[in-house]
Amino acid sequence: MEQINNIEVGPCTESDYLQPFRVHYNQNGTKKSWDFMRTHDSVSVLIFNTTLHCFVLVKQFRPAVYMCEWERIKKQPPQSAEKSEEGASEAAAPESQEGQSVSEGESSSQWPPASAGVTYELCAGLVDKPDLSLEEIARQEVLEECGYDVPASKLKRITSYRSGVGVTGSKQTMFYAEVSDDNCVSAGGGEPREGELIEVVKIPLHEAMTFAYDERIPKTMGVIFSFIWFHNNMSPKYKISTNV
Amino acid sequence: MEQINNIEVGPCTESDYLQPFRVHYNQNGTKKSWDFMRTHDSVSVLIFNTTLHCFVLVKQFRPAVYMCEWERIKKQPPQSAEKSEEGASEAAAPESQEGQSVSEGESSSQWPPASAGVTYELCAGLVDKPDLSLEEIARQEVLEECGYDVPASKLKRITSYRSGVGVTGSKQTMFYAEVSDDNCVSAGGGEPREGELIEVVKIPLHEAMTFAYDERIPKTMGVIFSFIWFHNNMSPKYKISTNV
């Protein structure tokens, strides 16, 4: 269970990570402009462990998701807001995009439990090493985050698509990797140097479709899609017994 | 075919749409901080026209996607960069997140064709009307963007998930709507007042799975996932003949 406390939030005037740009252009003769952000493309990997017949996902606390849930609680009537036993009270006062402001020093009951910010995701990473192929970058993420050492040549490309088309529009490429316990060389967990606190979780194959469609389990669409892709494309090989 | 020209891009110091915030917190005793953006949740709708046996998607020029492709071309050796017949030459000089800068007045050959920024997407919209249910917001988007008037009660919830977990973490809820030509009350195309230039496109059912996995067609994961969801869940009803 994650322990999150001493939370402080405020506007961010200079960010190394989020840098808005504005583009002006004419579209079919109409003058338009759009604010966007530049980001890296990314790769994600559906990992299937053939020894244990389970999928290998990562689970981590996502501050952006947590803050979203904080917003949601603020909008609810007080009596229905969940109380937190973990959140701290040192809230600063961000202005929302709608212009309403939040008073300082909100009580700890305003902070949701840490679990509200934890999501299940595919092993994934940014394409930020120009010398490496997508497969090679995916291979590194599988090793660093999940502890499996598999050759890049064993990664099967599933498909690619656009994400965040309103804001970043980056390209995401999804791979499939079959691993066995013999490929497991470490516990994974990400790069501590980069401050990653990643938990590796295993989802048994026979529970995968129920997991995919259980909305109480916060997850990315990549998890849902890839489980169904596996169900449609790999099920004859692994005899999936679930009916979906 | 979209005509895009007179493109100018530069840093954006004040945006009504992209407002970075920074949150500081302790995670299991480790001090951390994260830059994120607040955004609205969203809904998307897979629309199936039962008269024509086709899916109804929207297609639009996405500046963020276009600028991504511009970045990609810049990184390629000059001889392999695609030349544009449409792009204009009035480029300003944004700084990338990696710190390299771009010289002013780049030639028009640096701009990709407009088609590089056009994506296929599900009909979708932001959850920015607190008085309306998700179904009601989805209903309005189906009407405004695609021209079909269907009651909110006919919208079937498919699932929900988290998007942009690193930056926004917002919640997206996906619906399925069956429409017929009898429900078609306008050409759709979005709200001109809001500057939307949306093209409504129909994908025949028998071409859907090929479309979903054709990486040459730029699209969101929502399109791919929902087509496969339909294939798995609705195919007995509509006798899909494709093998996937």
Side-chain angles (χ1 to χ4, degrees), chain A residues 15 38 69 71 97 162, chain B residues 35 38 69 71 97 162:
Chain A
S15 172
R38 294 161 86 178
E69 290 309 297
E71 292 279 332
Q97 287 179 43
R162 291 285 167 177
Chain B
D35 297 348
R38 295 161 83 174
E69 290 308 298
E71 292 278 335
Q97 287 180 42
R162 292 284 167 174

Side-chain angles (χ1 to χ4, degrees), chain A residues 4 44 47 55 81 83 97 109 120 122 160 164 191 207 213:
Chain A
I4 302 292
S44 60
I47 304 172
F55 294 110
K83 297 208 173 189
Q97 287 179 43
S109 66
Y120 291 81
L122 293 180
S160 65
E191 282 289 296
E207 293 173 12
Y213 283 114

Side-chain angles (χ1 to χ4, degrees), chain B residues 45-87:
Chain B
V45 191
L46 173 66
I47 304 173
F48 182 66
N49 182 316
T50 58
T51 312
L52 304 173
H53 268 220
C54 66
F55 295 110
V56 181
L57 299 183
V58 296
K59 186 178 163 186
Q60 58 187 314
F61 177 76
R62 289 293 200 173
V65 173
Y66 184 77
M67 297 310 290
C68 245
E69 290 308 298
W70 177 60
E71 292 278 335
R72 200 183 313 279
I73 286 176
K74 280 198 304 180
K75 285 175 192 161
Q76 290 171 354
Q79 65 274 19
S80 68
E82 278 179 63
K83 295 207 174 190
S84 164
E85 294 167 9
E86 301 163 55

